[in-house]
Amino acid sequence: MPISATRLTLALAATLAFVPQAATQAQAVPAPKVVEQDGRHALLVNGKPFLVLGAQINNSSTWPDTMPQVWPALERMHTNTIEAPIYWEQMEPSPGKFDFSSVDMLVRQSREHNMHLVILWFGTWKNGNMHYVPQWVKEDPKKYARVINRSGEPLDVLSAQSRTNLDADKHAFAAMMHHLAEIDSKDHTVIFVQVENESGNIGTPRDFSEASNREFAGAVPTDLVNALHKQPGTWFEVFGGDADETFQAYYQARYVNEIAAAGKHEFNIPMYCNVWLAYPIGELPERQVRNPGIGYPSGGPTVAMLPLWKALAPSIDVIGPDIYSDDPGFYKGVLDAYARPDNALWIPETGNGDSYAPYLFQALGHGAIGFSPFGVDETGWTFGKDDGPKAHTRNYALLGPMADELAKLNFEGKLKTSVELPGQSEQELDFGPWKASVRFGFPQQDGRHAPGTPDHSGRALVAQLGPNEFLVTGVESSVAFHVPDRLPGLRMQILSAEEGEYVNGAWKAKRLWNGDQTDRGLNFHRSQNTVVRIRLGTF
């Protein structure tokens, strides 16, 4: 929705305070966009596939006094993209009066630090609550309706069925996007915008206000019946025990979609929603007991509600899961659920501990367009000065120099990965005429199984560059190629194995591997950051 003339004047006035030099001098670059090809996806930045090696800063770090504690941590981690929030309460301190200084600061400093920017809109929802809405919204519950629980008590959540709530959020978001168009339409420092944060109700599965109860007693809307291929009926008749959560998800998806559409009208760049997932009980990943409104915010695009959201929120380009369980089965299940032909796999938040680092490789093997651990800065909330996520840093230092090449190869379906799992220290990657045997842990002795690693941290990446040529790297792993049904070295040979790196998109060889470096596979120890380009032949 276009913003009003008065708000446009305010937006332009704020823009005059920040006219970045790069935007006035550089030629315009193509706008970022998410594309699909044969069920695979890419985030195009500057017209080329881009792999987000991101880091999300802590919730309350987007302030002039705290940003100096952000950049050292991100640069130490070798990130190429920062995820940072914009707070509705700070941006619109009184109705219709906008302060874009935080937006300007993030864009300007991201350029200065040579990073792309993902803006997180903390509007109606943050973690299922309304904590970042302006005070003038919080102080007027009669005008800005809150969710009512089953007992008739109001909650700290704005209702998704309130037109007033929607219009207020939409107006602010559109104003922000209009301002971004003014300052970033040439450079496209901002490549992604998150609409809300882990949206939904905490404290109740749906709104139990009188108006909501009347809606719930009626027939399921036709657009939802058609989208999910259901038979008409009441909410309980159609959805049974899932009726409350589905009811909330219906109104919530439409609410968020309308906000995104208004933002895209002002500045058409990719937008996504993140998800607070439904987690297993205790240490039993197979026990997926859904408890909407208690275990997670009800109404969000969880696995169960994902088909509804994809159908009713077309202005949302991607739905990305926030994953905070390092259980291998659970993590893989989430990747499987969100890597869909109609949804690019994007991990906007995940744990920053070392146990989460192998999942970057697993996500890439599922075609991911990006990955981002949470809480990376030196504010002391998660890390102190000169500290940070060590294993994620290792990943980014290894993959960062060839991120563009990996993004392109992944979009073309030529990249495969292997991640060590408990009891699976040996795995196989299939490239048709060539197979790649991956073994985890060292030392690896002839005639014995690979030992694996104590923390199951082994990971490997293999990308096919040509019929007989591959790019190989890994951590605590070895990779040996062979032809089908034969051991490595039988009726095949290594023509060359170059250790090297990509420099400005061109491969630069450093030395040839041979002898001990190739006779028992290509070995990638924890203390090394090596990449090998190998050419194979048969005889």
Side-chain angles (χ1 to χ4, degrees):
M1 182 185 75
I3 62 178
S4 67
T6 300
R7 297 189 179 192
L8 176 60
T9 300
L10 289 167
L12 291 175
T15 300
L16 293 176
F18 171 59
V19 181
Q21 185 176 11
T24 60
Q25 293 180 350
Q27 291 185 345
V29 298
K33 63 179 178 179
V34 177
V35 296
E36 181 271 338
Q37 174 181 288
D38 299 327
R40 298 184 299 272
H41 300 86
L43 172 62
L44 299 187
V45 175
N46 294 338
K48 301 181 297 184
F50 181 77
L51 174 61
V52 177
L53 298 177
Q56 184 171 153
I57 66 176
N58 281 295
N59 291 163
S60 300
S61 293
T62 306
W63 294 93
D65 287 346
T66 48
M67 288 305 293
Q69 298 169 283
V70 166
W71 297 110
L74 268 60
E75 291 176 331
R76 205 162 48 242
M77 190 173 157
H78 306 284
T79 61
N80 61 24
T81 304
I82 174 178
E83 290 185 30
I86 291 295
Y87 317 117
W88 184 8
E89 62 181 347
Q90 184 273 338
M91 199 191 78
E92 193 179 8
S94 58
K97 294 182 180 180
F98 296 103
D99 176 0
F100 296 116
S101 59
S102 292
V103 180
D104 296 341
M105 175 185 66
L106 284 178
V107 173
R108 181 179 63 251
Q109 292 189 14
S110 295
R111 291 173 185 166
E112 292 170 353
H113 292 272
N114 197 31
M115 292 189 196
H116 284 290
L117 171 62
V118 175
I119 283 182
L120 317 177
W121 174 242
F122 285 8
T124 296
W125 290 283
K126 167 67 174 75
N127 294 5
N129 290 109
M130 53 178 285
H131 294 164
Y132 285 87
V133 305
Q135 289 188 29
W136 49 268
V137 173
K138 295 176 182 176
E139 293 173 347
D140 195 353
K142 289 185 178 180
K143 181 175 182 180
Y144 302 101
R146 300 187 180 213
V147 169
I148 306 299
N149 68 12
R150 200 183 299 269
S151 300
E153 297 291 332
L155 299 178
D156 193 18
V157 187
L158 289 182
S159 174
Q161 291 174 264
S162 166
R163 186 74 227 181
T164 304
N165 294 346
L166 172 56
D167 285 343
D169 190 328
K170 183 170 69 170
H171 227 144
F173 185 74
M176 182 187 73
M177 295 305 297
H178 180 90
H179 184 71
L180 277 177
E182 291 290 332
I183 67 173
D184 198 41
S185 59
K186 290 185 178 180
D187 293 86
H188 289 295
T189 302
V190 180
I191 58 174
F192 232 165
V193 176
Q194 177 182 290
V195 187
E196 311 300 337
N197 181 278
E198 295 181 350
S199 66
N201 295 345
I202 286 292
T204 181
R206 69 169 175 89
D207 189 353
F208 286 89
S209 67
E210 291 183 6
S212 180
N213 287 340
R214 286 194 298 270
E215 292 281 347
F216 188 78
V220 176
T222 303
D223 58 346
L224 181 57
V225 169
N226 293 339
L228 299 185
H229 308 291
K230 299 286 188 178
Q231 294 297 317
T234 67
W235 286 91
F236 266 127
E237 289 171 343
V238 177
F239 296 107
D242 295 330
D244 286 338
E245 184 179 7
T246 308
F247 180 85
Q248 173 65 27
Y250 172 77
Y251 285 99
Q252 192 168 310
R254 288 161 54 94
Y255 186 111
V256 173
N257 183 70
E258 190 168 333
I259 291 172
K264 283 191 170 183
H265 183 83
E266 302 296 339
F267 193 28
N268 190 9
I269 59 176
M271 298 188 182
Y272 74 94
C273 289
N274 66 332
V275 190
W276 179 338
L277 297 169
Y279 285 95
I281 295 178
E283 300 299 322
L284 300 175
E286 69 276 8
R287 294 192 65 181
Q288 288 287 98
V289 179
R290 286 164 49 205
N291 194 5
I294 304 299
Y296 57 93
S298 182
T302 57
V303 173
M305 296 295 117
L306 187 55
L308 180 156
W309 272 79
K310 292 303 297 184
L312 298 182
S315 293
I316 298 297
D317 298 279
V318 178
I319 294 175
D322 297 348
I323 314 179
Y324 288 100
S325 168
D326 61 0
D327 177 85
F330 179 80
Y331 213 107
K332 181 181 182 301
V334 173
L335 298 181
D336 288 340
Y338 286 88
R340 297 164 41 124
D342 63 352
N343 191 67
L345 181 60
W346 156 235
I347 311 302
E349 288 186 40
T350 196
N352 57 42
D354 288 355
S355 61
Y356 288 88
Y359 295 119
L360 168 58
F361 282 66
Q362 191 169 49
L364 289 175
H366 280 68
I369 62 174
F371 189 87
S372 184
F374 172 77
V376 182
D377 59 40
E378 295 180 349
T379 59
W381 186 253
T382 46
F383 301 107
K385 185 174 174 57
D386 300 325
D387 200 359
K390 293 179 174 57
H392 289 294
T393 297
R394 167 70 192 275
N395 280 348
Y396 284 16
L398 177 63
L399 303 183
M402 54 181 176
D404 289 347
E405 288 72 27
L406 296 180
K408 180 176 182 293
L409 290 164
N410 216 1
F411 187 42
E412 295 170 349
K414 297 178 180 178
L415 186 152
K416 296 181 183 293
T417 62
S418 182
V419 174
E420 183 183 2
L421 299 173
Q424 296 184 29
S425 61
E426 300 182 11
Q427 299 175 22
E428 190 97 337
L429 299 177
D430 187 355
F431 290 91
W434 290 105
K435 314 295 180 185
S437 295
V438 182
R439 292 162 55 88
F440 298 111
F442 294 99
Q444 297 187 2
Q445 299 178 357
D446 292 342
R448 296 186 182 182
H449 288 294
T453 64
D455 54 357
H456 311 299
S457 61
R459 47 209 189 264
L461 180 151
V462 182
Q464 189 162 19
L465 303 177
N468 303 305
E469 187 172 5
F470 298 86
L471 191 70
V472 191
T473 191
V475 176
E476 286 294 289
S477 61
S478 72
V479 180
F481 290 88
H482 63 97
V483 295
D485 301 322
R486 293 184 183 273
L487 294 173
L490 296 180
R491 303 303 296 271
M492 59 80 60
Q493 58 188 332
I494 298 174
L495 301 179
S496 69
E498 299 175 346
E499 177 187 339
E501 63 181 343
Y502 281 95
V503 179
N504 296 324
W507 175 255
K508 180 182 178 182
K510 297 180 179 179
R511 62 169 175 163
L512 285 177
W513 279 16
N514 221 320
D516 289 344
Q517 280 69 51
T518 60
D519 288 351
R520 292 171 178 81
L522 309 176
N523 295 323
F524 303 96
H525 295 277
R526 186 182 297 269
S527 60
Q528 299 171 326
N529 260 357
T530 50
V531 182
V532 174
R533 185 167 176 165
I534 188 169
R535 295 177 179 86
L536 305 171
T538 58
F539 59 89

